[in-house]
Amino acid sequence: MSTFAELLLNGVSLGSVYALIALGFVVIFRATEVVNFAHASLLLAGGYVTATLHDDIGFWPALLAGVAGAALVGAAVEFLVMRRYRGSDHSVLAIVTIGVDILLTTELTRRLGTDVLALGDPWGDAVLTVGPVSLAHTRIAAFVAAALLITVFLLAFRYTSWGVAMRAAAESPETAALMGVRLGRVSLGAWAVAGGLAAVAALFLTVFPTPGLERATSLAALKAFPAAILGGLDSTTGALVGGLLVGVTESLATGYQSDLTFLGRGLGDLAPYLVMVAILLIRPAGLFGTKELARV
Amino acid sequence: MSEVLTREEASGAPRPARGPALRLPGSRAYGWTAGGVLLLALPFYLDRFWLQAGLFAMAAAIGAIGINLLTGATGQLSMGHAFFLAVGAYGYCVFAADGGDGLTGLGLPTWLAAVLAVALSGLAGGLFSPIAGRLRGAYLGIATLALIFIGQHVLFNARDLTGGFNGRDVPSFSVFGLTFDDRELVVAAVPFGSAEKLWYAGLVLLLGCGLFARGVLRGRPGRAMNAIRDHRIAAGVIGVPVARYRAAVFVLSSTYAGLAGVLLALVFQRTVPDYFGIALSLEYLAMIVIGGLGSVAGAVVGAAFVSLLPQLLTHYSDALPLVSDPGTGGVAPGEASRYLYGAAVVAVVLFLPGGLVRVAAARRRVRPSEGAPPGAAPGSIPGSTPGEER
């Protein structure tokens, strides 16, 4: 039973990190209707900035720099590339983000090489033990930080003028533009926010018990794809639920791996996708996604 | 859209009327003939390295035609193409191998194995069609990403079938008593090994695949596919069975991928699971965007660009500035080619909507001898809707 509780808690913590990444997708999708396949490279960029700076300026400033750096990269992608295509086909735009991702990932993995970089986090490998359940400090920090960030984000989304502009742009871009919402700024902001969230996620994906930032880290961002999709690409609630679902699924599948050997090794990486496909079969727009209705 | 169509018609319609009744073969026909002769002659002059590079490009072109039918013509994003390539490649191995290396093999005649492997990929696509028929855009793109993960999982774990991490050898192909292996056959004083023989097989396959896809695109199904891409609801209203078409195109495109997989396996002579990952799927998407969405020629051009680029850069890495051998700290050829094709994807969509083939089409149209109609200057070629010209 204690194994189950441990796996569940770990899963929730991991899932909250996936939710951060998935939220980034959702924000960009709502603002611009583009699926951002370059998210993995934003994540890697944030982690890389933090990892290279923490020795010189300390962990917290380095983390801030990482967040700012990834936000800047996101904004630059929007400003230099995506903005030029406004109004064109969304699946072509998605492929353009794939091109951007290839560029950025190649550059970052070339810089990383075979290194595994530490991010200099203050939690180290400390473990909290309550009764039979033990949990790494990093996992607790991940959950608290993600919960905090997501709350702040959702509040901002609901109550600030930025959030109102975002929601208006998502609802109907033409109307929003006519009412004075600057769509360019909205999408710039969305890309920056997504970058920042990805940088925080990068931190928690590379702290203990994972060895550190390496070229494979960007693959972790791929697990946020099913999270965003199974929740529904245009739903912030969906991103949260999807993230948690993916995190718990992965954690349980990895934890009970030894009981499921007939399914082969590495089941944890596969399980989120299987859950996603199962859900999409029942609800093609995800759990909380808006079903497209058309009156003909 | 309607405006775009009328412009196309305006530029295309007057031409036959103006031409003489009995036209001499145009420069286009000469071009095709010259290109064909060149391709047929190449095995007599090139060494094995270049022939293999060319064969990779042919296999990639077949796969790219398939994904262009799906993503370019029907507007269905697929990121799982590598999975179907893997099904084709490994399917061929399992059907054709005789089990001598301790792995499962049915020992069928190799031509039958190839046909079955292609059919198996189509079947795999068909099994996915409940999803492929219902999902659109990003949802489908990411759902197909699941195929990659499932595929890699199976490839690494089903050791009896796939040989696990190290992969398995590919039996040589033989048909009508002709074996595509390295037993030398001398033609016109040139020794013909497997690469030379496969070259012709590849050409035939590519030609067949290209013509078939062109037929599909130009006929009734092609119109329906483009209608689904441009306006799904309108297509449904005028009577196109949208979900059925989507599923069918998915099956067709996975069949193409399976054939590409078989050919790739024959060229490689060994299949390894690492190859069939996400990077490969992304390469195929890059191919069709760079070449031109929705057209057969675009797929072929893009496939040649993306698959020959790394080979060229590797081969000439000594002579190129900024490119150095792997492991020396500089930009390795593989990285350089990824930079180039990543940048090409971004730049082509930004500056050449419609891809590289569109550039050739634009040049042809403004040539004075053909009398460019005023609406068809290169700047005004409708580029916002890729792929209505083939």
Side-chain angles (χ1 to χ4, degrees):
Chain A
M1 197 58 211
S2 66
T3 328
F4 180 74
E6 237 173 72
L7 290 175
L8 200 64
L9 286 175
N10 268 314
V12 168
S13 141
L14 194 62
S16 56
V17 177
Y18 290 149
L20 281 179
I21 312 175
L23 205 54
F25 286 130
V26 171
V27 169
I28 290 181
F29 186 80
R30 284 188 67 127
T32 60
E33 285 192 43
V34 171
V35 194
N36 175 24
F37 287 107
H39 220 80
S41 56
L42 291 183
L43 182 129
L44 207 55
Y48 182 75
V49 171
T50 314
T52 44
L53 287 180
H54 80 266
D55 263 346
D56 300 330
I57 61 175
F59 170 69
W60 293 105
L63 180 61
L64 279 180
V67 170
L72 213 62
V73 173
V77 170
E78 199 280 337
F79 191 73
L80 297 175
V81 182
M82 306 313 291
R83 182 161 294 199
R84 319 281 156 198
Y85 298 108
R86 210 187 292 156
S88 82
D89 188 3
H90 294 305
S91 67
V92 176
L93 282 174
I95 299 179
V96 171
T97 62
I98 292 176
V100 172
D101 185 62
I102 293 170
L103 278 176
L104 285 173
T105 308
T106 309
E107 175 59 22
L108 286 164
T109 49
R110 189 177 69 85
R111 282 165 179 271
L112 275 170
T114 51
D115 295 347
V116 180
L117 302 179
L119 263 64
D121 62 286
W123 301 290
D125 54 1
V127 174
L128 178 75
T129 312
V130 180
V133 177
S134 53
L135 201 60
H137 281 187
T138 49
R139 293 272 141 244
I140 301 168
F143 179 72
V144 172
L148 208 65
L149 274 174
I150 291 170
T151 316
V152 168
F153 174 83
L154 288 181
L155 288 178
F157 205 62
R158 179 134 298 189
Y159 295 112
T160 63
S161 58
W162 172 79
V164 175
M166 281 284 281
R167 283 184 291 148
E171 207 61 49
S172 160
E174 286 86 4
T175 318
L178 287 171
M179 303 294 273
V181 172
R182 298 195 185 179
L183 294 182
R185 275 195 200 175
V186 168
S187 76
L188 196 70
W191 276 82
V193 165
L197 292 175
V200 178
L203 167 72
F204 290 116
L205 286 173
T206 51
V207 290
F208 178 79
T210 21
L213 186 76
E214 52 184 329
R215 46 199 331 176
T217 302
S218 65
L219 292 180
L222 291 174
K223 284 181 202 141
F225 278 122
I229 285 285
L230 73 83
L233 253 182
D234 55 355
S235 156
T236 41
T237 326
L240 282 180
V241 175
L244 291 178
L245 210 53
V246 164
V248 170
T249 312
E250 185 189 342
S251 170
L252 291 179
T254 315
Y256 290 111
Q257 174 80 65
S258 49
D259 301 331
L260 300 167
T261 38
F262 65 94
L263 289 172
R265 291 153 55 82
L267 195 62
D269 292 334
L270 185 63
Y273 282 93
L274 295 180
V275 173
M276 174 189 74
V277 168
I279 287 180
L280 286 182
L281 270 175
I282 303 162
R283 294 184 66 99
L287 290 175
F288 296 91
T290 321
K291 266 195 221 140
E292 189 194 335
L293 294 176
R295 188 182 294 178
V296 181
Chain B
M1 195 51 222
S2 62
E3 182 211 12
V4 167
L5 268 182
T6 47
R7 246 192 230 157
E8 284 284 315
E9 281 159 10
S11 65
R15 221 179 288 158
R18 212 185 298 126
L22 264 173
R23 279 210 307 185
L24 291 167
S27 61
R28 240 186 127 167
Y30 287 125
W32 277 103
T33 317
V37 170
L38 182 71
L39 282 175
L40 288 175
L42 279 178
F44 292 94
Y45 298 100
L46 292 182
D47 59 17
R48 195 187 176 91
F49 173 84
W50 288 114
L51 288 179
Q52 276 198 336
L55 277 165
F56 282 138
M58 285 183 211
I62 292 174
I65 291 173
I67 195 174
N68 217 356
L69 290 175
L70 184 70
T71 303
T74 323
Q76 300 239 77
L77 185 60
S78 163
M79 300 180 76
H81 221 55
F83 172 77
F84 298 106
L85 285 161
V87 172
Y90 279 97
Y92 174 75
C93 292
V94 171
F95 289 130
D98 53 8
D101 46 2
L103 301 172
T104 309
L106 300 182
L108 298 173
T110 50
W111 63 269
L112 183 62
V115 172
L116 286 178
V118 172
L120 187 69
S121 326
L123 187 70
L127 288 178
F128 198 70
S129 67
I131 291 187
R134 299 175 74 192
L135 300 184
R136 305 180 295 118
Y139 284 92
L140 181 64
I142 295 172
T144 48
L145 206 53
L147 284 176
I148 299 280
F149 283 85
I150 295 169
Q152 293 262 303
H153 186 77
V154 172
L155 291 186
F156 279 114
N157 285 294
R159 288 225 175 76
D160 288 345
L161 289 176
T162 65
F165 183 79
N166 294 319
R168 65 184 295 175
D169 285 324
V170 180
S172 334
F173 188 71
S174 67
V175 69
F176 304 132
L178 179 66
T179 307
F180 291 81
D181 61 3
D182 276 330
R183 250 177 297 162
E184 284 198 350
L185 172 82
V186 179
V187 180
V190 175
F192 263 42
S194 64
E196 283 84 357
K197 294 179 212 162
L198 274 175
W199 178 271
Y200 292 106
L203 277 183
V204 171
L205 285 177
L206 178 57
L207 191 69
C209 286
L211 288 178
F212 184 78
R214 214 166 81 129
V216 168
L217 283 171
R218 289 198 166 169
R220 194 182 160 90
R223 284 174 203 277
M225 283 151 65
N226 288 1
I228 292 172
R229 177 194 63 200
D230 293 334
H231 207 300
R232 183 176 47 90
I233 295 166
V237 169
I238 59 171
V240 176
V242 174
R244 207 183 331 143
Y245 255 104
R246 281 211 195 115
V249 174
F250 200 86
V251 171
L252 181 63
S253 122
S254 52
T255 313
Y256 269 87
L259 183 59
V262 173
L263 188 56
L264 266 181
L266 288 172
V267 180
F268 267 127
Q269 299 179 338
R270 186 165 185 87
T271 54
V272 283
D274 255 348
Y275 179 74
F276 299 100
I278 291 179
L280 187 70
S281 279
L282 297 187
E283 266 181 38
Y284 276 89
L285 283 176
M287 285 173 199
I288 58 172
V289 173
I290 292 173
L293 283 172
S295 75
V296 172
V300 176
V301 170
F305 183 90
V306 172
S307 57
L308 291 180
L309 195 62
Q311 316 260 5
L312 279 171
L313 290 176
T314 315
H315 208 70
Y316 293 110
S317 61
D318 300 336
L320 291 170
L322 301 173
V323 177
S324 55
D325 287 332
T328 52
V331 180
E335 287 161 355
S337 63
R338 274 207 296 282
Y339 282 127
L340 277 175
Y341 81 70
V345 168
V346 176
V348 160
V349 185
L350 196 53
F351 302 115
L352 308 169
L356 292 177
V357 283
R358 194 44 81 78
V359 182
R363 182 160 302 159
R364 200 160 52 237
R365 201 165 303 167
V366 293
R367 233 176 27 197
S369 63
E370 299 222 358
S380 68
I381 282 173
S384 54
T385 46
E388 74 251 320
E389 180 186 288
R390 274 149 243 126

